[in-house]
Amino acid sequence: MMTGIRHNLLKCGFVFFIVVVQYAHGQVSYSVQEELKRGSVIGNIAKDLGLEVERLSARKARVFMQGNERQYCEINLQNGDLLVAERIDREEHCGEKPSCVLKFDLLLESPLELHRLSLQVQDINDNAPVFPKNTVKLEIRESADRGAKYRLNAAHDADIGKNSVESYILEQNPHFVFGIQTTSAGRKYGELVLKQELDREDQQEMKLLLTAVDGGSPQRSGTVIIHVIVLDANDNAPVFTEAVYTATIPENSPMNTKIMTVSASDIDEGVNGEVTYEFSRLSDKSRKIFSLDEKTGEISVTGDIDYEEGHKYEVFVEAKDGYGLSSEAKVIIDITDVNDNAPVIYINSLSNPIPENVPPDTEVGIINVQDKDSENNGQLHCSIQQNVPFKLIPSIKNYYSLVTTGQLDRELVSDYNITISATDEGSPPLSSSKTVQLSVADINDNPPVFEEQSYSAYVTENNKPGSTLCSVTARDPDWRQNGTVIYSLLPGEVNGAPVSSYVSVNGDTGVIHAVRSFDYEQLMNFKVQLMARDNGSPPLSSNVTVSVFISDVNDNSPQILYPALEGNSFMTELIPKAAHGGSLVSKVIAVDADAGQNAWLSYHIVTSSDPGLFSIDVHSGEIRTQRDISESDSMKQNLIVAVKDNGQPSLSATCSMYLIISDNLAEVTELKDISSDEKNSKLTSYLIIALVSVSTFFLTFIIIIMGVRFCRRRKPRLLFDGAVAIPSAYLPPNYADVDGTGTLRSTYNYDAYLTTGSRTSDFKFVTSYNDNTLPADQTLRKSPSDFAEVFGDCDTSPEV
């Protein structure tokens, strides 16, 4: 019944195959017909092995055929079905073997797991019977007796079992019938049996069609023409010296190597005893490897012999005499293995790249090594040549796991070229190697590091907003975003204002820019904190301090503190008529908000009503008489003093000194009666001086210093060396008073005193500071209108 069902399915065009699952020592066996279409289901390997279908893809399940690089089976990772991946020809793999079993390995990873699969390939009738020759020539003597038998080579069918040759059909004729015989070696051959004697005079030759039919379904057949020539009688066939010949040769034997010589003898004489040799049956593969000398019976090598292609060959040699009688002998040729195949290394799995923080003993790849040779020639040893943090651990069969042996650091080594060597145990041994390239993936394990522990930036005051102060650089050895450095300001304050209102930093380049214009007189230096952060996850950072130093620029003109204009009054110095040469008359006091040489001041008399009467100390600003006061000297004296700093370019300021030579205050009012001519001439001079001052000085303050007259007690003459006291209110709070370095020396102290009452009152003298100097308390204070006509206007302007 089963046969009927299979027959019906085949008629309908369906492919029928039988699946048999068995477990034996971890193996699974399937039975399947040859020549199935690609994609045909062999069985569900996941179900048969108890594997989880959903994990087949994650575990990279795949099938390898042992000893063959071609893949005949594959796994459907979605449902676990074992499928036909390529045409399977039973005859190609097993030839005439009654049983054809193909071995496969099922490999799974994570964890590594190996299953062995056996595929029993069932024969189908896909080959027709084939005769060795298209025409068989037989020469038969007419004297042959009825029942004489003539041997013919049987047809060969590559299929086995029922699909092989089952019967022969000889064309209807009056003389011959056909039968099948079997030799002692199990070899079948055909016999043409004479059932009726031949008559050469009636028929000299005949051609009979012999058809070989197999037992497959559908049935296949092959034909041969038997050409019978009627001759005289030849009643003895050749006889071989041995029924079976054996020989052993190594693989890779060179061309024309002699294997053996077969020999047969025929007791007939003449042509009937001449023996020739030929292969009675030879496969296409054997035909390319061996040749037979038809006269000598010598078998030689004519092709490449490879042990891995075939271990043993069986050929049949036919000896035939001159008139067609023949016999057959079997020749068995064994091939011995030679170590002619180097190991082959396969990379079955490789994790690439590898994170640099993987722990030691992490599996990163699976290596498979194969050698087609047998026994010791196929025994392998696998190793890694270089000193790298990887090693090979033997696993199942010829599989090795490639694992790490230490901590990886991409910043030290980012790529590894691992050379894997495999050596067999042949003599001499053969080896091969394969280089595996592994890259190390970066992990954000390094913070940015500044090139310097701290940075200093120098900038001159009055800089332009946006100008570059300095550049900071931080390096991060990590890769890509892990090594991308971003710069930023840390929050902070400078003089109570956010640090971002003073400087900014370019986040990409680390260039620091000034946000505003700096003023040295307000801020000489400050510090900011910068952070360098990488773009990793999580990000790493480091900080650095940047000190910004502001250098001074000569942008402040000297400021004259004394003489100074207070309210609506001018201060005028009074000089006693008895003052001698060298007497201290007054002092010009000035300061400069700049620093260093920009604040070094020098004093000069620009214009004097009497050039030879007064001089000024270039460093201290002290005004002294150069000679004794005489009666011919004018009572009113006017000096224009310029104060210059030492900057480049130099800035200056001017002031006017109003001096009155008088011993009596009553004389001061008489100065108003000066003629208009003289006033106009002096006014013209002052205007010229004022124009010069405007072009050469930046800032001028007008202060009138009251004259002080000194007299020494118990002495006939008075020495005028008094000093004028300058109240602390004259000094701005941001001016330093440092001896020897600043602009205002603390060693000078001036005190001025003036008696109250009528204008004719005498000066009040006080105790001198030393034996030679009398402090004068005579300083005259009047409104500006009282002196406008006497001295003219007083201007203070900066010198450019």
Side-chain angles (χ1 to χ4, degrees), residues 166 258 290 336 387 430 566 677:
E166 188 175 72
K258 179 180 177 181
F290 307 110
T336 59
N387 184 20
L430 299 179
E566 290 187 348
D677 294 337

Side-chain angles (χ1 to χ4, degrees), residues 311-327:
H311 308 338
K312 179 185 291 188
Y313 293 90
E314 293 184 0
V315 297
F316 294 88
V317 178
E318 183 182 28
K320 184 182 296 186
D321 61 20
Y323 288 102
L325 293 181
S326 64
S327 62

Side-chain angles (χ1 to χ4, degrees), residues 43-57:
N44 191 292
I45 196 168
K47 179 180 178 181
D48 298 334
L49 289 176
L51 303 176
E52 297 178 8
V53 176
E54 57 273 14
R55 293 203 59 203
L56 291 178
S57 179

Side-chain angles (χ1 to χ4, degrees), residues 103 183 243 271 309 454 524 608 635 693 707-708 773:
K103 301 290 186 178
T183 66
V271 176
E309 294 291 333
S454 62
M524 291 186 288
S608 174
M635 179 182 292
S693 299
V708 180
T773 304

Side-chain angles (χ1 to χ4, degrees), residues 2 5 12 76 83 91 105 159 165 181 183 202 242 314 329 378 400 415 417 433 467 485 536 567 692 734 754 757 768:
M2 188 68 183
I5 295 175
C12 295
N76 187 329
L83 307 177
E91 288 74 26
D105 287 339
D159 297 322
V165 177
Q181 303 295 328
T183 66
D202 181 52
E242 297 180 23
E314 293 184 0
Y400 295 83
D415 293 283
N417 289 323
S433 62
S467 59
V485 180
V692 174
N734 59 335
L754 183 64
S768 63

